Amino acid sequence: MKILLLTLGLGLVCGLQGLDNSAKGSPKLDGKWFTVALASNVTSKIEEGGSLRIFVYNIRVYDGFLTADFFKRENGKCIPFSVTAITKEDGSNLVHYDGLNDFSLESFDDEYSIFMLYNIKDGEVTIWGELFGRTPDLPDEIKKKFEEICERFGIGKDQIRDLYNDDRCEKLR
Ligand SMILES: *[C@@H]1O[C@H](CO)[C@@H](O)[C@H](O)[C@H]1NC(C)=O
C-alpha cells in the first residue's frame, strides 16, 4: 500500500519502453556509464560503507527491460552485481536492491543520465539520486542540473557526494 502511494507521486519523464527505440538522433541508455555523483537524504548510505554507494558500469535495454551492471565495495573488494527493472502496469519502475526501489529517469542525453529513486527497506523510505556520465566526470552545468533535480526531491546540496575522485572499481572494468 505504501509503495502504491509512493508511485503515485512519481511521474516518469519517459517510459522505459521508449528508451530502446533506436530512432536516429535520440539518445540511448545502452552502454558504458560511470557513477559521477550520488545523493541521498540519508547520506550515510552513499558514503563509504553505505549500501547505496554503488558504481554503475553498464546499462542494457532490451525489449523494454532495463538491466544495469554495478560494482560495490565490500571489505575492500569490488563485487560486481546486476539488477533488472520491472515496469508495472501503472507505469512505475521497480528494482530490487537493498530493499525495493521505485525509480524514475528524470533527465538524460548522450552525455549523462539522472535517476531518482525511492528506496523502501524495513518500512523506511530513503530518497536517493544517481548522476551517470559517459565519462568519469561531467561538466559543471550537468552537476548543477543534478543539484536542481535533487532539490525538487528534497535532497540538499550538502547531501550530494561527487565521486569523481573515487576509483569506482575502475580496475575491474
Ligand atoms: C527521507 O525522505 C523520505 C521521503 O520523503 C522520508 O520518509 C524520510 O523520513 C527521509 N529521511 C530522513 C532521514 O530525512
Side-chain angles (χ1 to χ4, degrees), residues 41-42 125-127:
N41 74 337
V42 184
V125 181
T126 302
I127 303 180

Side-chain angles (χ1 to χ4, degrees), residues 3-4 7 10 16 66 83-88 90-97 100-104 118 120:
I3 292 165
L4 201 67
T7 60
L10 271 181
L16 288 180
L66 183 148
V83 295
T84 297
I86 309 153
T87 302
K88 303 230 317 190
D90 64 2
S92 63
N93 299 292
L94 299 176
V95 66
H96 287 275
Y97 172 74
L100 193 62
N101 299 272
D102 188 328
F103 72 94
S104 54
Y118 286 81
I120 301 130

Side-chain angles (χ1 to χ4, degrees), residues 36-64:
V36 175
L38 290 171
S40 178
N41 74 337
V42 184
T43 47
S44 60
K45 293 201 180 213
I46 54 164
E47 280 161 359
E48 198 59 53
S51 55
L52 301 181
R53 193 179 177 96
I54 59 176
F55 314 105
V56 70
Y57 63 97
N58 193 45
I59 289 180
R60 290 166 274 152
V61 184
Y62 180 74
D63 239 6

Side-chain angles (χ1 to χ4, degrees), residues 155-168:
I155 301 175
K157 226 173 146 168
D158 58 322
Q159 296 175 314
I160 298 175
R161 298 293 175 266
D162 201 319
L163 297 183
Y164 149 73
N165 277 323
D166 192 297
D167 96 347
R168 292 166 289 199

Side-chain angles (χ1 to χ4, degrees), residues 13-31 33 59 61 66 105-114 134:
V13 172
C14 349
L16 288 180
Q17 273 78 8
L19 298 178
D20 64 350
N21 78 30
S22 33
K24 253 186 278 160
S26 65
K28 279 186 282 187
L29 266 184
D30 284 89
W33 289 100
I59 289 180
V61 184
L66 183 148
L105 175 64
E106 286 295 314
S107 178
F108 85 116
D109 72 4
D110 291 327
E111 223 181 333
Y112 76 95
S113 55
I114 295 174
R134 291 292 186 189

Side-chain angles (χ1 to χ4, degrees), residues 128-143:
W128 60 300
E130 299 174 296
L131 171 61
F132 296 163
R134 291 292 186 189
T135 48
D137 201 7
L138 285 168
D140 286 345
E141 311 92 82
I142 295 174
K143 290 184 180 177

